[in-house]
């Protein structure tokens, strides 16, 4: 099926007399006739549900839709994008292992890898996403277990050369995880370019209404764990905490990764999405393909207007021909990228502050990818403890404004931006 149809109808097909909308199975637990029936579930010998900390039918229906959209073989929902990225990485890495990651990834994921996972004994090397193949190759170590990047980074808006990163990962016998939050599978399917695992913060465009936090992990089903068994003992040797199951043997390339993440990580960490949130996420997914078009059209219109304005020093948007990421965007994002644009005001910090104060439609929020346009000046909010030099070094100079274009009329958005720029 076409992606548009999957957005609307994927993941759930009601039988005769069953509800048209996906049912919300708001239950922590599930009933069985005999202990033997339940035992089979615990041994992963039968499919079924026993406790919503690990799996829930409503969540699975929505995960199935996201799986179909990405063209994967198995998927799971998580309570947030942070949980999705942590689970995806920790499903592969353990103490003593090493991660190669793009340096421009989301701040939350950067902290997760460089601070929290470091405390767990997992180290990382960060590489410029525009690095040469040789530089990328040099970042690998004998204990490297995974490569990580974002299709379009939040908020740096760099575009990942997925094929380059996949080639390097595979040459070293490890998988590539791509966080595909910003383009969504409507605009890019990383598996088609060699990625092995895809993650999402469904909090962003997939929900799209600023209503529910959530995340997802999708397995492309192509990475051959057993061919590199010495690197991945968690997948390729018996799990004593699960009756000696060897995930890669029992569930194959298509199912091992998600089964292990569910049976082991969800069991132990319990970051499942609530069925109610999954239901609301699905309402967002039903219109994702329609909304992405408008988000992208508004992003492009705003970026072009800003680029031509004398009070604007520079604009970061991969859809613009002036962008250093334009060629990569043409290859990986031919139908559009996302609605997030960032730009610098010629007047510096003070101009940014005046501009933000004068906006009427665009609300000041830390959020992005909402139906309502929102914006943020990192220097006066999320990064306000830093001075101008520190801000520049962190890649968020004082004059930088990040604007997430919503679904309003582009004429109204531009008129709002124009009047706010006039006040500077
Ligand atoms: C927001 C975001 C996350 C974190 O997701 P939460 O749902 O906020 O936990 C991870 N990656 C990217 C690219 C994001 O934009």
């Amino acid at each position: 099926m076409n992606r548009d149809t999957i957005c609307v109808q994927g993941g759930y097909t009601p039988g005769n007399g069953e509800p048209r909308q996906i049912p919300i199975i708001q239950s922590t637990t599930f009933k069985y006739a005999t202990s033997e029936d339940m035992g089979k579930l615990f041994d992963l010998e039968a499919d079924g549900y026993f406790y919503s900390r690990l799996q829930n039918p409503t969540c699975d229906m929505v995960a199935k839709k996201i799986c179909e959209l990405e063209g994967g073989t198995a998927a799971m929902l998580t309570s947030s994008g942070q949980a999705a990225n942590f689970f995806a990485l920790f499903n592969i890495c353990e103490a003593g292992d090493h991660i190669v990651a793009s340096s421009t990834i989301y701040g939350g994921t950067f902290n997760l890898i460089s601070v929290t996972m470091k405390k767990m004994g997992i180290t990382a090397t960060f590489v410029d996403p525009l690095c040469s193949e040789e530089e990328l190759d040099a970042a690998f170590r004998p204990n490297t277990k995974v490569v990580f990047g974002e299709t379009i980074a939040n908020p740096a808006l760099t575009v990942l050369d997925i094929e380059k990163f996949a080639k390097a990962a595979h040459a070293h016998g490890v998988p590539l995880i791509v966080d595909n939050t910003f383009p969504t599978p409507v605009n890019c399917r990383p598996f088609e370019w060699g990625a092995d695992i895809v993650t999402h913060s469904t909090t962003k465009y997939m929900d799209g209404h600023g209503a529910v936090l959530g995340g997802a992990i999708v397995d492309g089903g192509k990475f051959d764990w057993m061919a590199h068994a010495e690197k991945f003992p968690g997948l390729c040797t018996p799990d004593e905490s699960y009756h000696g199951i060897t995930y890669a043997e029992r569930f194959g390339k298509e199912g091992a990764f998600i089964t292990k993440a569910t049976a082991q990580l969800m069991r132990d960490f319990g970051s499942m999405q609530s069925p109610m949130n999954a239901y609301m996420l699905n309402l967002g997914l039903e219109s994702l393909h329609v909304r992405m078009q408008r988000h992208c059209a508004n992003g492009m219109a705003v970026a072009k207007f800003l680029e031509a304005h004398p009070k604007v020093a520079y604009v970061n948007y991969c859809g613009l021909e002036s962008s250093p990421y334009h060629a990569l965007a043409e290859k990986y994002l031919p139908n559009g990228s996302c609605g997030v644009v960032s730009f610098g005001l010629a007047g510096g910090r003070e101009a940014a502050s005046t501009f933000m104060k004068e906006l009427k439609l665009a609300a000041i929020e830390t959020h992005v990818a909402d139906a309502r346009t929102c914006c943020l000046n990192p220097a006066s909010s999320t990064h306000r403890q830093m001075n101008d030099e520190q801000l520049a070094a962190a890649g968020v100079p004082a004059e930088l404004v990040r604007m997430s274009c919503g679904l309003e009329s582009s004429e109204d958005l531009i008129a709002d931006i124009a009047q706010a720029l006039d006040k500077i």
Side-chain angles (χ1 to χ4, degrees), residues 160-164 187-188 193 328-334:
L160 191 74
D161 188 341
I162 302 172
E163 277 192 321
K164 178 178 80 180
N187 282 338
C188 179
W193 303 101
L328 287 170
E330 293 224 291
K331 174 173 173 180
Y332 294 108
L333 305 156

Side-chain angles (χ1 to χ4, degrees), residues 35 107 113 121 127 182-183 187 192 220 310 321 324 331 341 362 370 387 411:
S35 305
I113 295 174
V127 293
F182 266 24
N187 282 338
E192 292 172 358
E321 273 171 39
K331 174 173 173 180
V341 180
D370 191 355
N387 63 34
E411 276 172 36

Side-chain angles (χ1 to χ4, degrees), residues 170 181 246 402:
H170 298 159
T181 296
T246 299
R402 178 184 74 188

Side-chain angles (χ1 to χ4, degrees), residues 80-82 85 106 109 150 154 179 181-182 201 203-204 213-214:
S80 68
Q82 284 301 110
N85 281 327
Y106 177 66
T109 315
E150 291 173 11
N154 174 17
D179 181 333
T181 296
F182 266 24
S201 165
T203 315
K204 311 294 164 54
L213 274 160

Side-chain angles (χ1 to χ4, degrees), residues 9-29:
Q9 296 216 13
Y12 170 64
T13 311
N16 202 25
E18 287 179 359
R20 186 67 193 96
Q21 186 49 279
I22 64 167
I24 305 169
I25 310 294
Q26 193 68 53
S27 182
T28 57
T29 192

Side-chain angles (χ1 to χ4, degrees), residues 247-420:
Y247 296 101
E249 260 172 15
R250 175 84 83 83
F251 300 99
K253 286 188 281 190
E254 296 77 14
F257 191 84
I258 295 295
T259 306
K260 175 176 180 286
T262 300
Q264 220 177 51
L265 301 185
M266 272 300 174
R267 177 197 62 192
D268 297 352
F269 293 103
S271 312
M272 184 42 97
Q273 194 166 126
S274 82
M276 187 67 210
N277 278 17
Y279 174 84
M280 288 168 77
L281 165 59
N282 188 57
L283 290 180
L285 288 169
E286 287 179 1
S287 63
L288 180 66
H289 55 305
V290 182
R291 291 184 290 106
M292 282 314 286
Q293 278 181 12
R294 174 59 79 89
H295 280 296
C296 293
N298 281 355
M300 187 60 124
V302 164
K304 280 186 173 155
F305 172 79
L306 289 167
E307 192 172 43
H309 199 285
K311 288 184 183 169
V312 176
Y314 57 87
V315 182
N316 302 319
Y317 191 68
C318 66
L320 292 176
E321 273 171 39
S322 57
S323 165
Y325 296 95
H326 188 65
L328 287 170
E330 293 224 291
K331 174 173 173 180
Y332 294 108
L333 305 156
N335 300 321
S337 54
C338 65
V340 184
V341 180
S342 71
F343 55 98
L345 289 163
R349 186 191 286 262
E350 211 175 308
S353 156
T354 306
F355 173 75
M356 302 275 292
K357 193 173 70 205
E358 295 297 338
L359 286 168
K360 307 241 164 7
L361 277 178
I364 299 174
E365 296 170 16
T366 54
H367 196 40
V368 289
D370 191 355
R372 291 141 295 208
T373 295
C374 50
C375 60
L376 185 77
N377 172 225
S380 56
S381 55
T382 49
H383 294 66
R384 66 179 294 125
Q385 75 281 6
M386 294 184 179
N387 63 34
D388 283 12
E389 289 72 44
Q390 289 170 322
L391 286 166
V396 284
E399 72 282 0
L400 190 82
V401 175
R402 178 184 74 188
M403 183 166 281
S404 168
C405 299
L407 300 176
E408 303 90 341
S409 136
S410 62
E411 276 172 36
D412 290 341
L413 289 181
I414 288 170
D416 188 32
I417 293 167
Q419 65 82 24

Side-chain angles (χ1 to χ4, degrees), residues 9-247:
Q9 296 216 13
Y12 170 64
T13 311
N16 202 25
E18 287 179 359
R20 186 67 193 96
Q21 186 49 279
I22 64 167
I24 305 169
I25 310 294
Q26 193 68 53
S27 182
T28 57
T29 192
F30 302 81
K31 173 196 175 267
Y32 288 92
T34 69
S35 305
E36 288 71 33
D37 288 344
M38 185 170 271
K40 284 190 187 129
L41 300 179
F42 275 92
D43 286 346
L44 301 178
E45 273 165 14
D47 267 344
Y49 299 92
F50 50 92
Y51 194 49
S52 287
R53 190 205 316 132
L54 285 88
Q55 262 185 311
N56 172 279
T58 307
C59 295
D60 277 355
M61 290 175 218
V62 181
K64 188 158 178 270
K65 176 180 280 190
I66 295 172
C67 188
E68 289 172 13
L69 280 171
E70 287 287 5
T73 57
M76 67 200 282
L77 297 189
T78 58
S79 55
S80 68
Q82 284 301 110
N85 281 327
F86 173 59
F87 279 22
L89 290 164
F90 199 61
N91 208 30
I92 302 175
C93 298
E94 56 184 51
D97 289 346
H98 175 256
I99 298 168
V100 172
S102 162
S103 60
T104 56
I105 53 172
Y106 177 66
T109 315
F110 184 81
N111 277 334
L112 168 69
I113 295 174
S114 66
V115 180
T116 301
M117 292 187 79
K118 193 172 166 197
K119 290 183 194 160
M120 302 169 138
I122 299 164
T123 54
T125 300
F126 293 92
V127 293
D128 184 329
L130 288 178
C131 67
S132 69
E133 287 189 21
E134 293 69 33
E135 286 165 328
L136 184 51
D137 198 58
F140 286 80
R141 298 186 194 161
N143 58 340
T144 302
K145 296 297 169 72
V146 65
V147 179
F148 184 92
E150 291 173 11
T151 317
I152 302 174
N154 174 17
L157 301 177
T158 57
V159 179
L160 191 74
D161 188 341
I162 302 172
E163 277 192 321
K164 178 178 80 180
F165 276 73
K167 195 176 142 200
H170 298 159
H172 291 269
V174 303
L176 170 65
I177 300 177
V178 172
D179 181 333
N180 197 34
T181 296
F182 266 24
T184 83
V186 169
N187 282 338
C188 179
R189 294 213 278 194
F191 294 145
E192 292 172 358
W193 303 101
D196 301 289
I197 309 289
V198 162
T199 57
H200 283 281
S201 165
T202 62
T203 315
K204 311 294 164 54
Y205 289 113
M206 284 190 169
D207 162 36
H209 297 80
V212 283
L213 274 160
I217 308 173
V218 189
D219 184 0
K222 293 210 185 78
F223 193 81
D224 191 349
W225 306 104
M226 284 312 250
H228 309 281
E230 76 293 348
K231 282 190 196 292
F232 307 107
L235 283 144
C236 303
T237 57
D239 177 0
E240 295 312 335
S241 79
Y242 232 109
H243 324 300
I245 280 174
T246 299
Y247 296 101

